[in-house]
Structures are given as C-alpha cells and as structure tokens.
Amino acid sequence: MASTPSKKPARERILETAVELFYQRGIQNVGIDEIIARAGVAKMSLYNHFQSKDHLVAEFLRLQDERWQNWFFSAVERYGSTPQERLLGIFDALKEWFNNPDYRGCAFVNATVELVNPTHPGYQVALEHKRAMYQYILELVKAANLTNAETLARQFVLLAEGAIVVAMMEGASTAAEQAREAASVLIKSKVGCNMEM
C-alpha cells in the first residue's frame, strides 16, 4: 500500500498533494517545499510540470472544478427527475456535501479570498467555475419553464453560495435545508406567475 503513491507519475502526485493540502489548509498556508516533500519528488520535477506555485494553484482549481461538477451534477440528478425537483435537489446535494467530514467550504470561494488579485490564473479558474454553476442552474430554471429565468437563476446561486459559506462557518448542514425552503418558495411564486399567465 505504501508504495502505491510512488508508482503514480510525478505530475499526478504533485497535483494530488496540492489538492489535499490547499483545500484543507489554504493556499497561502502551504509552501512548495511541503508539497514536494509530501509528493516525494524533486523541486525541479515540480517546476518541470508547473511553471510556478500560481500555475499549480490554477491546475488544482481546474481539477477541483472537474471533480466537483461531475459529482454535483450526478448528485442533483439522483435527488430529482424533473427540472423543478432538480432545482431543489441542488440543496439536497449541498447538504450531502456539507455532511462530509472533510468539508471546508468551497475551494473556489476560498481561493478568491486568498488570492485577492483578479488577474491571478487561479482566480480566473474560480470565476469560470462560478459562471458554469450559474449556467447549469439557468438551464434547469429554463427547463422548468419558470418566469424571469436569469433573475431566478441568480437568486438560486445566491442561496447556494450563502448556504455553502454558512455551513463552513457554523459547521452544520442545516444551512442547506434552510436554503432549500427559500428555494421552494421562489419556485412556487414563479409557478404561480405562469399559471396566472
């Protein structure tokens, strides 16, 4: 078992180590030397694969984005079969995530807070992730034939993001349930508008 990590390519070991450490401890709290030591690679190997720590951060966030979206989309589909059910399923999926013992908030929100500079490559990846999430929610809202789709999608994003932050700060999954209740009220108000029309 102990020899398994060393059989992986150096780039993969570096990136997996960065994913673990950056998410659990924060980007600014983890230095290149610690990543190198944990990954069991030479410093030159790291710089052969990643030009700098900034580039490593961007790759960490790209990998997080891919993994998180794959999990999230399939989780939402498990919680609902119709677009309206899936809109509420967003918050069921978030609750599942919040209950994970390793949950430490959103890697993308955390990164933008730490990186500050909007021109940082990692900051840009975080923004792309958030835009993709908005687009996914917008598509669900449109598929559900709810009125004012763009505004409603933005409101759902705000509910989800708020729940993510509150769950991290309070260490409780109840934020997902409360956001789900608010989302349900929003949906009912838009269904009512459609019925009146």
Side-chain angles (χ1 to χ4, degrees), residues 10-196:
R11 187 182 192 283
E12 189 177 337
R13 280 184 283 150
I14 294 164
L15 197 48
E16 290 294 343
T17 302
V19 165
E20 179 187 345
L21 294 178
F22 286 158
Y23 182 69
Q24 287 302 319
R25 299 208 346 245
I27 293 166
Q28 302 299 339
N29 293 328
V30 177
I32 289 295
D33 290 340
E34 183 176 3
I35 292 170
I36 290 165
R38 281 280 282 275
V41 298
K43 186 173 275 194
M44 188 54 70
S45 181
L46 184 139
Y47 288 111
N48 284 339
H49 295 288
F50 307 96
Q51 295 174 18
S52 64
K53 183 179 177 182
D54 288 351
H55 286 88
L56 178 57
V57 168
E59 287 302 310
F60 145 69
L61 289 169
R62 282 191 189 95
L63 183 58
Q64 285 289 86
D65 175 58
E66 180 185 334
R67 289 177 175 176
W68 197 87
Q69 285 194 44
N70 288 339
W71 169 81
F72 183 70
F73 296 158
S74 63
V76 169
E77 288 177 15
R78 275 190 282 116
Y79 286 110
S81 56
T82 68
Q84 279 190 28
E85 288 173 351
R86 287 178 178 169
L87 281 168
L88 294 177
I90 289 168
F91 303 96
D92 297 321
L94 290 179
K95 182 177 179 181
E96 183 182 321
W97 182 35
F98 300 163
N99 283 322
N100 185 314
D102 294 330
Y103 177 71
R104 198 189 154 277
C106 173
F108 308 94
V109 171
N110 297 348
T112 57
V113 170
E114 285 197 79
L115 298 174
V116 181
N117 182 357
T119 64
H120 188 288
Y123 197 105
Q124 293 302 309
V125 175
L127 286 180
E128 288 166 20
H129 170 81
K130 294 302 179 185
R131 288 184 191 120
M133 294 311 301
Y134 167 76
Q135 197 59 43
Y136 173 71
I137 292 170
L138 178 60
E139 287 168 14
L140 286 178
V141 170
K142 287 180 176 177
N145 292 315
L146 300 172
T147 59
N148 301 319
E150 288 81 7
T151 300
L152 186 58
R154 181 64 59 196
Q155 290 167 335
F156 266 77
V157 168
L158 291 171
L159 285 172
E161 293 295 337
I164 290 167
V165 172
V166 170
M168 181 188 70
M169 292 177 71
E170 295 182 355
S173 64
T174 53
E177 296 163 15
Q178 292 159 350
R180 190 186 196 281
E181 287 174 20
S184 180
V185 171
L186 279 173
I187 290 173
K188 285 175 185 170
S189 74
K190 298 305 177 186
V191 169
C193 287
N194 283 341
M195 287 174 67
E196 287 169 14

